[in-house]
Amino acid sequence: MKQYIALDIGGTKFMVASFTENLLEIKRVKYNTPEDFNEGIDLLYKMINEVSNKDRIGGIGAAIGGPLDAVRGIVSPLHQRQWRNIPLKDIMEEKWGCPFYVDVDTNVAALGEYHLGKYDHEKFLYITLSTGMGGGYIIDGKVYRGFNGNHPEVGHQTINFRCRYPEKVQCECGSPDCIEALVSGNAIKRIYGKPAEELNDNEWSEVIYNLGQGLRNIATIMTPDIIVFGGGIAFGAGEPFLQKIEAEMKRQLTLVKPPLLALSKLGYDTAIAGAAYIAKNGF
């Protein structure tokens, strides 16, 4: 029996799962991310053996943090310091003798959400709002890539923000005033000193205002048909949060039709499902 293997290679955890040819999940395992690169690769090998039961592997797909070169499969995830300029595609294809595909986790999640969630929108934007904020833009079923293979960094737009502690607005990318530095999980903890679920109404109003300004920019410039949200912040706050940011987006959106907003159909499994999708179908 041929199987497809999905890897979610995160800065704090590794998740690996096997899937049938119809992309039905068979088995999943999860371990903490080792700091050492060689330990990390050995652990991924071990996890692949665990879920595949040594059956034939038809392809492997991986979601990982950026930056990376998706064509050559060279990765340098920011949150894994020892993973710099790693030729992961060559390493995995030599080890397992099958095609290997890797992309930024938000692109992979977007592909999984779009295809396995069975959307039919021409222009589809997936935004994850969790530890950070990122997005994957799907046009006609394929990941949109700009100059030099870059993808839109929706979390690193500058906005005219509201924040009672402006001195605490610091983005990990090094640029000033990024929206990620205002609305992500890490940002909320840095600014307000507590997780998102403990914010009071006044603090939430700042987050909602700032996210609404970012969505206004996205709607005006990228004109997606639909924006789908995933990640812990979005799911934790749920539909009421979605309704409030939609109202804030529409309040100042004048020149274009507002996109639909929705929560992910796949929940927390978008990246692993997307990795399974590219394992079988490539890009």
Side-chain angles (χ1 to χ4, degrees):
M1 180 179 69
K2 185 189 295 185
Q3 296 187 39
Y4 293 92
I5 305 298
L7 314 179
D8 184 355
I9 305 172
T12 58
K13 65 167 175 57
F14 286 173
M15 190 183 301
V16 176
S18 54
F19 290 78
T20 68
E21 292 191 68
N22 293 326
L23 296 186
L24 299 175
E25 186 173 329
I26 302 169
K27 184 177 180 180
R28 180 187 303 205
V29 293
K30 181 169 67 173
Y31 291 92
N32 292 333
T33 302
E35 184 174 341
D36 180 75
F37 166 72
N38 290 319
E39 288 181 21
I41 286 292
D42 288 343
L43 178 57
L44 287 174
Y45 292 168
K46 173 178 178 286
M47 295 170 76
I48 291 170
N49 276 323
E50 280 188 60
V51 300
S52 68
N53 198 27
K54 299 185 179 178
D55 287 329
R56 180 186 170 200
I57 298 175
I60 301 174
I64 194 169
L68 56 76
D69 180 333
V71 174
R72 295 189 295 163
I74 298 174
V75 304
S76 299
L78 284 176
H79 299 294
Q80 290 156 261
R81 295 180 181 179
Q82 293 194 25
W83 290 58
R84 290 293 174 269
N85 297 313
I86 301 298
L88 194 58
K89 179 178 175 67
D90 290 345
I91 291 170
M92 288 294 185
E93 290 186 345
E94 181 178 350
K95 171 68 176 178
W96 299 101
C98 66
F100 177 84
Y101 303 95
V102 62
D103 204 348
V104 176
D105 45 16
T106 48
N107 283 345
V108 175
L111 282 169
E113 179 72 24
Y114 181 83
H115 289 286
L116 302 181
K118 301 186 184 306
Y119 296 82
D120 59 2
H121 302 81
E122 179 185 356
K123 290 173 289 185
F124 171 96
L125 179 64
Y126 175 83
I127 292 179
T128 180
L129 196 59
S130 55
T131 304
M133 177 183 176
Y137 197 27
I138 306 295
I139 299 179
D140 293 330
K142 296 181 180 180
V143 171
Y144 169 79
R145 301 184 194 278
F147 175 69
N148 204 31
N150 293 319
H151 75 291
E153 291 284 1
V154 296
H156 298 281
Q157 55 175 298
T158 298
I159 63 167
N160 184 21
F161 63 86
R162 291 180 184 171
C163 182
R164 66 195 64 199
Y165 307 112
E167 71 281 0
K168 296 182 180 180
V169 179
Q170 302 169 9
C171 190
E172 294 174 26
C173 79
S175 294
D177 303 340
C178 291
I179 190 172
E180 181 179 285
L182 292 150
V183 303
S184 67
N186 280 351
I188 288 170
K189 288 178 183 177
R190 182 185 301 114
I191 293 169
Y192 303 106
K194 52 188 169 183
E197 59 268 24
E198 296 179 11
L199 294 181
N200 62 41
D201 289 345
N202 289 331
E203 292 162 343
W204 264 124
S205 69
E206 290 186 345
V207 174
I208 289 164
Y209 174 85
N210 292 329
L211 189 53
Q213 303 317 298
L215 294 180
R216 182 186 69 164
N217 291 342
I218 288 168
T220 302
I221 297 169
M222 299 173 69
T223 62
D225 302 323
I226 184 171
I227 301 175
V228 175
F229 287 87
I233 301 290
F235 276 111
E239 287 292 342
F241 174 69
L242 205 64
Q243 292 167 7
K244 289 176 182 177
I245 60 174
E246 181 178 36
E248 187 59 51
M249 173 188 71
K250 289 179 176 179
R251 190 173 66 85
Q252 296 192 46
L253 190 63
T254 57
L255 296 180
V256 300
K257 182 179 178 180
L260 298 173
L261 301 188
L263 290 175
S264 164
K265 296 178 183 179
L266 302 184
Y268 293 100
D269 286 340
T270 49
I272 201 78
Y277 176 83
I278 63 172
K280 180 179 179 181
N281 298 291
F283 294 126

PDB file of all heavy atoms in Angstrom, residues 79-105:
ATOM      1  N   HIS A  79      12.855  30.452  13.719  1.00  0.00           N
ATOM      2  CA  HIS A  79      12.761  30.021  15.115  1.00  0.00           C
ATOM      3  C   HIS A  79      13.548  28.739  15.406  1.00  0.00           C
ATOM      4  O   HIS A  79      13.427  28.178  16.490  1.00  0.00           O
ATOM      5  CB  HIS A  79      11.294  29.845  15.502  1.00  0.00           C
ATOM      6  CG  HIS A  79      10.500  31.109  15.390  1.00  0.00           C
ATOM      7  ND1 HIS A  79      10.740  32.210  16.201  1.00  0.00           N
ATOM      8  CD2 HIS A  79       9.503  31.479  14.542  1.00  0.00           C
ATOM      9  CE1 HIS A  79       9.915  33.187  15.867  1.00  0.00           C
ATOM     10  NE2 HIS A  79       9.160  32.769  14.871  1.00  0.00           N
ATOM     11  N   GLN A  80      14.330  28.274  14.425  1.00  0.00           N
ATOM     12  CA  GLN A  80      15.207  27.121  14.641  1.00  0.00           C
ATOM     13  C   GLN A  80      16.625  27.528  14.217  1.00  0.00           C
ATOM     14  O   GLN A  80      16.999  27.437  13.061  1.00  0.00           O
ATOM     15  CB  GLN A  80      14.702  25.907  13.845  1.00  0.00           C
ATOM     16  CG  GLN A  80      13.404  25.335  14.412  1.00  0.00           C
ATOM     17  CD  GLN A  80      12.585  24.572  13.388  1.00  0.00           C
ATOM     18  OE1 GLN A  80      11.633  25.098  12.830  1.00  0.00           O
ATOM     19  NE2 GLN A  80      12.947  23.328  13.135  1.00  0.00           N
ATOM     20  N   ARG A  81      17.382  27.989  15.192  1.00  0.00           N
ATOM     21  CA  ARG A  81      18.642  28.678  14.906  1.00  0.00           C
ATOM     22  C   ARG A  81      19.671  27.816  14.201  1.00  0.00           C
ATOM     23  O   ARG A  81      20.512  28.327  13.456  1.00  0.00           O
ATOM     24  CB  ARG A  81      19.217  29.226  16.218  1.00  0.00           C
ATOM     25  CG  ARG A  81      18.353  30.305  16.864  1.00  0.00           C
ATOM     26  CD  ARG A  81      18.960  30.809  18.155  1.00  0.00           C
ATOM     27  NE  ARG A  81      18.107  31.818  18.780  1.00  0.00           N
ATOM     28  CZ  ARG A  81      18.390  32.410  19.923  1.00  0.00           C
ATOM     29  NH1 ARG A  81      19.493  32.097  20.586  1.00  0.00           N
ATOM     30  NH2 ARG A  81      17.566  33.313  20.422  1.00  0.00           N
ATOM     31  N   GLN A  82      19.652  26.518  14.434  1.00  0.00           N
ATOM     32  CA  GLN A  82      20.650  25.655  13.800  1.00  0.00           C
ATOM     33  C   GLN A  82      20.225  25.182  12.406  1.00  0.00           C
ATOM     34  O   GLN A  82      20.984  24.491  11.734  1.00  0.00           O
ATOM     35  CB  GLN A  82      20.943  24.454  14.704  1.00  0.00           C
ATOM     36  CG  GLN A  82      21.639  24.838  16.004  1.00  0.00           C
ATOM     37  CD  GLN A  82      22.212  23.642  16.729  1.00  0.00           C
ATOM     38  OE1 GLN A  82      22.515  22.611  16.135  1.00  0.00           O
ATOM     39  NE2 GLN A  82      22.393  23.772  18.035  1.00  0.00           N
ATOM     40  N   TRP A  83      19.028  25.536  11.999  1.00  0.00           N
ATOM     41  CA  TRP A  83      18.549  25.166  10.661  1.00  0.00           C
ATOM     42  C   TRP A  83      18.756  26.355   9.720  1.00  0.00           C
ATOM     43  O   TRP A  83      17.840  27.115   9.443  1.00  0.00           O
ATOM     44  CB  TRP A  83      17.062  24.811  10.710  1.00  0.00           C
ATOM     45  CG  TRP A  83      16.738  23.536  11.424  1.00  0.00           C
ATOM     46  CD1 TRP A  83      17.036  23.207  12.713  1.00  0.00           C
ATOM     47  CD2 TRP A  83      16.018  22.425  10.891  1.00  0.00           C
ATOM     48  NE1 TRP A  83      16.547  21.962  13.012  1.00  0.00           N
ATOM     49  CE2 TRP A  83      15.916  21.459  11.904  1.00  0.00           C
ATOM     50  CE3 TRP A  83      15.431  22.157   9.639  1.00  0.00           C
ATOM     51  CZ2 TRP A  83      15.262  20.242  11.724  1.00  0.00           C
ATOM     52  CZ3 TRP A  83      14.777  20.949   9.458  1.00  0.00           C
ATOM     53  CH2 TRP A  83      14.699  20.002  10.476  1.00  0.00           C
ATOM     54  N   ARG A  84      19.966  26.512   9.220  1.00  0.00           N
ATOM     55  CA  ARG A  84      20.262  27.613   8.311  1.00  0.00           C
ATOM     56  C   ARG A  84      20.779  27.069   6.991  1.00  0.00           C
ATOM     57  O   ARG A  84      21.748  26.316   6.949  1.00  0.00           O
ATOM     58  CB  ARG A  84      21.305  28.569   8.926  1.00  0.00           C
ATOM     59  CG  ARG A  84      20.770  29.390  10.102  1.00  0.00           C
ATOM     60  CD  ARG A  84      19.704  30.382   9.650  1.00  0.00           C
ATOM     61  NE  ARG A  84      19.075  31.097  10.770  1.00  0.00           N
ATOM     62  CZ  ARG A  84      17.981  30.675  11.401  1.00  0.00           C
ATOM     63  NH1 ARG A  84      17.392  29.548  11.024  1.00  0.00           N
ATOM     64  NH2 ARG A  84      17.461  31.363  12.386  1.00  0.00           N
ATOM     65  N   ASN A  85      20.086  27.461   5.904  1.00  0.00           N
ATOM     66  CA  ASN A  85      20.451  27.033   4.551  1.00  0.00           C
ATOM     67  C   ASN A  85      20.550  25.510   4.449  1.00  0.00           C
ATOM     68  O   ASN A  85      21.507  24.958   3.891  1.00  0.00           O
ATOM     69  CB  ASN A  85      21.762  27.685   4.118  1.00  0.00           C
ATOM     70  CG  ASN A  85      21.647  29.195   4.031  1.00  0.00           C
ATOM     71  OD1 ASN A  85      20.698  29.726   3.453  1.00  0.00           O
ATOM     72  ND2 ASN A  85      22.599  29.902   4.617  1.00  0.00           N
ATOM     73  N   ILE A  86      19.538  24.837   4.979  1.00  0.00           N
ATOM     74  CA  ILE A  86      19.497  23.375   4.986  1.00  0.00           C
ATOM     75  C   ILE A  86      18.840  22.878   3.694  1.00  0.00           C
ATOM     76  O   ILE A  86      17.680  23.234   3.413  1.00  0.00           O
ATOM     77  CB  ILE A  86      18.707  22.850   6.204  1.00  0.00           C
ATOM     78  CG1 ILE A  86      19.331  23.334   7.512  1.00  0.00           C
ATOM     79  CG2 ILE A  86      18.611  21.326   6.153  1.00  0.00           C
ATOM     80  CD1 ILE A  86      20.745  22.866   7.740  1.00  0.00           C
ATOM     81  N   PRO A  87      19.537  22.060   2.891  1.00  0.00           N
ATOM     82  CA  PRO A  87      18.937  21.516   1.659  1.00  0.00           C
ATOM     83  C   PRO A  87      17.997  20.355   1.983  1.00  0.00           C
ATOM     84  O   PRO A  87      18.260  19.193   1.666  1.00  0.00           O
ATOM     85  CB  PRO A  87      20.161  21.063   0.858  1.00  0.00           C
ATOM     86  CG  PRO A  87      21.165  20.685   1.905  1.00  0.00           C
ATOM     87  CD  PRO A  87      20.931  21.622   3.064  1.00  0.00           C
ATOM     88  N   LEU A  88      16.878  20.679   2.583  1.00  0.00           N
ATOM     89  CA  LEU A  88      15.991  19.649   3.135  1.00  0.00           C
ATOM     90  C   LEU A  88      15.419  18.740   2.046  1.00  0.00           C
ATOM     91  O   LEU A  88      15.261  17.529   2.269  1.00  0.00           O
ATOM     92  CB  LEU A  88      14.854  20.321   3.917  1.00  0.00           C
ATOM     93  CG  LEU A  88      14.027  19.414   4.835  1.00  0.00           C
ATOM     94  CD1 LEU A  88      14.914  18.739   5.872  1.00  0.00           C
ATOM     95  CD2 LEU A  88      12.921  20.214   5.513  1.00  0.00           C
ATOM     96  N   LYS A  89      15.128  19.292   0.884  1.00  0.00           N
ATOM     97  CA  LYS A  89      14.601  18.473  -0.216  1.00  0.00           C
ATOM     98  C   LYS A  89      15.614  17.404  -0.613  1.00  0.00           C
ATOM     99  O   LYS A  89      15.275  16.219  -0.737  1.00  0.00           O
ATOM    100  CB  LYS A  89      14.266  19.360  -1.414  1.00  0.00           C
ATOM    101  CG  LYS A  89      13.731  18.609  -2.632  1.00  0.00           C
ATOM    102  CD  LYS A  89      13.381  19.593  -3.742  1.00  0.00           C
ATOM    103  CE  LYS A  89      12.971  18.880  -5.012  1.00  0.00           C
ATOM    104  NZ  LYS A  89      11.687  18.154  -4.857  1.00  0.00           N
ATOM    105  N   ASP A  90      16.871  17.793  -0.804  1.00  0.00           N
ATOM    106  CA  ASP A  90      17.901  16.818  -1.189  1.00  0.00           C
ATOM    107  C   ASP A  90      18.096  15.761  -0.102  1.00  0.00           C
ATOM    108  O   ASP A  90      18.242  14.572  -0.394  1.00  0.00           O
ATOM    109  CB  ASP A  90      19.233  17.535  -1.454  1.00  0.00           C
ATOM    110  CG  ASP A  90      19.200  18.376  -2.726  1.00  0.00           C
ATOM    111  OD1 ASP A  90      18.268  18.188  -3.535  1.00  0.00           O
ATOM    112  OD2 ASP A  90      20.087  19.227  -2.886  1.00  0.00           O
ATOM    113  N   ILE A  91      18.107  16.202   1.152  1.00  0.00           N
ATOM    114  CA  ILE A  91      18.310  15.280   2.268  1.00  0.00           C
ATOM    115  C   ILE A  91      17.193  14.238   2.318  1.00  0.00           C
ATOM    116  O   ILE A  91      17.440  13.022   2.433  1.00  0.00           O
ATOM    117  CB  ILE A  91      18.381  16.048   3.610  1.00  0.00           C
ATOM    118  CG1 ILE A  91      19.663  16.873   3.683  1.00  0.00           C
ATOM    119  CG2 ILE A  91      18.292  15.095   4.800  1.00  0.00           C
ATOM    120  CD1 ILE A  91      19.699  17.845   4.853  1.00  0.00           C
ATOM    121  N   MET A  92      15.956  14.687   2.220  1.00  0.00           N
ATOM    122  CA  MET A  92      14.824  13.783   2.348  1.00  0.00           C
ATOM    123  C   MET A  92      14.667  12.875   1.129  1.00  0.00           C
ATOM    124  O   MET A  92      14.339  11.685   1.263  1.00  0.00           O
ATOM    125  CB  MET A  92      13.540  14.586   2.574  1.00  0.00           C
ATOM    126  CG  MET A  92      13.448  15.205   3.963  1.00  0.00           C
ATOM    127  SD  MET A  92      13.315  13.923   5.235  1.00  0.00           S
ATOM    128  CE  MET A  92      13.086  14.923   6.698  1.00  0.00           C
ATOM    129  N   GLU A  93      14.892  13.399  -0.061  1.00  0.00           N
ATOM    130  CA  GLU A  93      14.738  12.560  -1.250  1.00  0.00           C
ATOM    131  C   GLU A  93      15.819  11.492  -1.318  1.00  0.00           C
ATOM    132  O   GLU A  93      15.565  10.356  -1.755  1.00  0.00           O
ATOM    133  CB  GLU A  93      14.732  13.427  -2.508  1.00  0.00           C
ATOM    134  CG  GLU A  93      13.459  14.262  -2.629  1.00  0.00           C
ATOM    135  CD  GLU A  93      13.329  15.025  -3.927  1.00  0.00           C
ATOM    136  OE1 GLU A  93      14.344  15.154  -4.644  1.00  0.00           O
ATOM    137  OE2 GLU A  93      12.224  15.497  -4.222  1.00  0.00           O
ATOM    138  N   GLU A  94      17.022  11.834  -0.867  1.00  0.00           N
ATOM    139  CA  GLU A  94      18.084  10.832  -0.827  1.00  0.00           C
ATOM    140  C   GLU A  94      17.776   9.744   0.205  1.00  0.00           C
ATOM    141  O   GLU A  94      18.019   8.557  -0.032  1.00  0.00           O
ATOM    142  CB  GLU A  94      19.424  11.484  -0.492  1.00  0.00           C
ATOM    143  CG  GLU A  94      20.585  10.502  -0.465  1.00  0.00           C
ATOM    144  CD  GLU A  94      21.922  11.176  -0.189  1.00  0.00           C
ATOM    145  OE1 GLU A  94      21.984  12.423  -0.201  1.00  0.00           O
ATOM    146  OE2 GLU A  94      22.901  10.442   0.040  1.00  0.00           O
ATOM    147  N   LYS A  95      17.221  10.150   1.349  1.00  0.00           N
ATOM    148  CA  LYS A  95      16.928   9.194   2.422  1.00  0.00           C
ATOM    149  C   LYS A  95      15.759   8.278   2.075  1.00  0.00           C
ATOM    150  O   LYS A  95      15.814   7.063   2.305  1.00  0.00           O
ATOM    151  CB  LYS A  95      16.628   9.960   3.713  1.00  0.00           C
ATOM    152  CG  LYS A  95      16.090   9.114   4.863  1.00  0.00           C
ATOM    153  CD  LYS A  95      17.120   8.151   5.408  1.00  0.00           C
ATOM    154  CE  LYS A  95      16.571   7.388   6.612  1.00  0.00           C
ATOM    155  NZ  LYS A  95      17.543   6.397   7.144  1.00  0.00           N
ATOM    156  N   TRP A  96      14.673   8.854   1.509  1.00  0.00           N
ATOM    157  CA  TRP A  96      13.437   8.089   1.368  1.00  0.00           C
ATOM    158  C   TRP A  96      13.125   7.674  -0.065  1.00  0.00           C
ATOM    159  O   TRP A  96      12.205   6.875  -0.281  1.00  0.00           O
ATOM    160  CB  TRP A  96      12.264   8.893   1.940  1.00  0.00           C
ATOM    161  CG  TRP A  96      12.464   9.186   3.399  1.00  0.00           C
ATOM    162  CD1 TRP A  96      12.885  10.358   3.963  1.00  0.00           C
ATOM    163  CD2 TRP A  96      12.320   8.270   4.489  1.00  0.00           C
ATOM    164  NE1 TRP A  96      13.001  10.239   5.320  1.00  0.00           N
ATOM    165  CE2 TRP A  96      12.656   8.963   5.689  1.00  0.00           C
ATOM    166  CE3 TRP A  96      11.921   6.934   4.586  1.00  0.00           C
ATOM    167  CZ2 TRP A  96      12.616   8.363   6.938  1.00  0.00           C
ATOM    168  CZ3 TRP A  96      11.877   6.333   5.830  1.00  0.00           C
ATOM    169  CH2 TRP A  96      12.227   7.039   6.991  1.00  0.00           C
ATOM    170  N   GLY A  97      13.845   8.218  -1.039  1.00  0.00           N
ATOM    171  CA  GLY A  97      13.659   7.777  -2.421  1.00  0.00           C
ATOM    172  C   GLY A  97      12.298   8.101  -3.009  1.00  0.00           C
ATOM    173  O   GLY A  97      11.750   7.328  -3.805  1.00  0.00           O
ATOM    174  N   CYS A  98      11.745   9.246  -2.622  1.00  0.00           N
ATOM    175  CA  CYS A  98      10.439   9.659  -3.132  1.00  0.00           C
ATOM    176  C   CYS A  98      10.420  11.175  -3.259  1.00  0.00           C
ATOM    177  O   CYS A  98      11.287  11.860  -2.685  1.00  0.00           O
ATOM    178  CB  CYS A  98       9.322   9.183  -2.195  1.00  0.00           C
ATOM    179  SG  CYS A  98       9.337   9.968  -0.566  1.00  0.00           S
ATOM    180  N   PRO A  99       9.451  11.745  -3.983  1.00  0.00           N
ATOM    181  CA  PRO A  99       9.387  13.210  -4.092  1.00  0.00           C
ATOM    182  C   PRO A  99       9.153  13.860  -2.730  1.00  0.00           C
ATOM    183  O   PRO A  99       8.418  13.326  -1.891  1.00  0.00           O
ATOM    184  CB  PRO A  99       8.189  13.439  -5.018  1.00  0.00           C
ATOM    185  CG  PRO A  99       8.015  12.161  -5.754  1.00  0.00           C
ATOM    186  CD  PRO A  99       8.428  11.084  -4.823  1.00  0.00           C
ATOM    187  N   PHE A 100       9.784  15.026  -2.546  1.00  0.00           N
ATOM    188  CA  PHE A 100       9.638  15.784  -1.301  1.00  0.00           C
ATOM    189  C   PHE A 100       9.328  17.226  -1.662  1.00  0.00           C
ATOM    190  O   PHE A 100       9.995  17.830  -2.502  1.00  0.00           O
ATOM    191  CB  PHE A 100      10.926  15.719  -0.477  1.00  0.00           C
ATOM    192  CG  PHE A 100      10.882  16.530   0.793  1.00  0.00           C
ATOM    193  CD1 PHE A 100      10.323  16.013   1.949  1.00  0.00           C
ATOM    194  CD2 PHE A 100      11.395  17.825   0.827  1.00  0.00           C
ATOM    195  CE1 PHE A 100      10.263  16.758   3.125  1.00  0.00           C
ATOM    196  CE2 PHE A 100      11.347  18.580   1.988  1.00  0.00           C
ATOM    197  CZ  PHE A 100      10.784  18.045   3.133  1.00  0.00           C
ATOM    198  N   TYR A 101       8.301  17.787  -1.018  1.00  0.00           N
ATOM    199  CA  TYR A 101       7.894  19.170  -1.257  1.00  0.00           C
ATOM    200  C   TYR A 101       7.826  19.899   0.077  1.00  0.00           C
ATOM    201  O   TYR A 101       7.310  19.363   1.061  1.00  0.00           O
ATOM    202  CB  TYR A 101       6.522  19.219  -1.929  1.00  0.00           C
ATOM    203  CG  TYR A 101       6.446  18.460  -3.227  1.00  0.00           C
ATOM    204  CD1 TYR A 101       5.988  17.148  -3.252  1.00  0.00           C
ATOM    205  CD2 TYR A 101       6.839  19.049  -4.426  1.00  0.00           C
ATOM    206  CE1 TYR A 101       5.930  16.432  -4.439  1.00  0.00           C
ATOM    207  CE2 TYR A 101       6.788  18.349  -5.617  1.00  0.00           C
ATOM    208  CZ  TYR A 101       6.327  17.038  -5.621  1.00  0.00           C
ATOM    209  OH  TYR A 101       6.278  16.339  -6.803  1.00  0.00           O
ATOM    210  N   VAL A 102       8.337  21.124   0.102  1.00  0.00           N
ATOM    211  CA  VAL A 102       8.310  21.918   1.330  1.00  0.00           C
ATOM    212  C   VAL A 102       7.976  23.362   0.991  1.00  0.00           C
ATOM    213  O   VAL A 102       8.391  23.881  -0.050  1.00  0.00           O
ATOM    214  CB  VAL A 102       9.664  21.828   2.084  1.00  0.00           C
ATOM    215  CG1 VAL A 102      10.818  22.380   1.237  1.00  0.00           C
ATOM    216  CG2 VAL A 102       9.600  22.540   3.440  1.00  0.00           C
ATOM    217  N   ASP A 103       7.202  23.989   1.870  1.00  0.00           N
ATOM    218  CA  ASP A 103       6.887  25.412   1.684  1.00  0.00           C
ATOM    219  C   ASP A 103       6.648  26.037   3.048  1.00  0.00           C
ATOM    220  O   ASP A 103       6.537  25.335   4.064  1.00  0.00           O
ATOM    221  CB  ASP A 103       5.654  25.578   0.797  1.00  0.00           C
ATOM    222  CG  ASP A 103       5.621  26.943   0.097  1.00  0.00           C
ATOM    223  OD1 ASP A 103       6.418  27.835   0.473  1.00  0.00           O
ATOM    224  OD2 ASP A 103       4.789  27.119  -0.809  1.00  0.00           O
ATOM    225  N   VAL A 104       6.570  27.370   3.052  1.00  0.00           N
ATOM    226  CA  VAL A 104       6.258  28.108   4.276  1.00  0.00           C
ATOM    227  C   VAL A 104       4.945  27.575   4.850  1.00  0.00           C
ATOM    228  O   VAL A 104       3.986  27.308   4.111  1.00  0.00           O
ATOM    229  CB  VAL A 104       6.138  29.612   3.968  1.00  0.00           C
ATOM    230  CG1 VAL A 104       5.714  30.390   5.198  1.00  0.00           C
ATOM    231  CG2 VAL A 104       7.470  30.143   3.442  1.00  0.00           C
ATOM    232  N   ASP A 105       4.886  27.425   6.162  1.00  0.00           N
ATOM    233  CA  ASP A 105       3.738  26.780   6.795  1.00  0.00           C
ATOM    234  C   ASP A 105       2.407  27.428   6.435  1.00  0.00           C
ATOM    235  O   ASP A 105       1.394  26.727   6.272  1.00  0.00           O
ATOM    236  CB  ASP A 105       3.920  26.706   8.316  1.00  0.00           C
ATOM    237  CG  ASP A 105       4.428  27.997   8.938  1.00  0.00           C
ATOM    238  OD1 ASP A 105       4.373  29.050   8.275  1.00  0.00           O
ATOM    239  OD2 ASP A 105       4.896  27.949  10.087  1.00  0.00           O
TER     240      ASP A 105
END
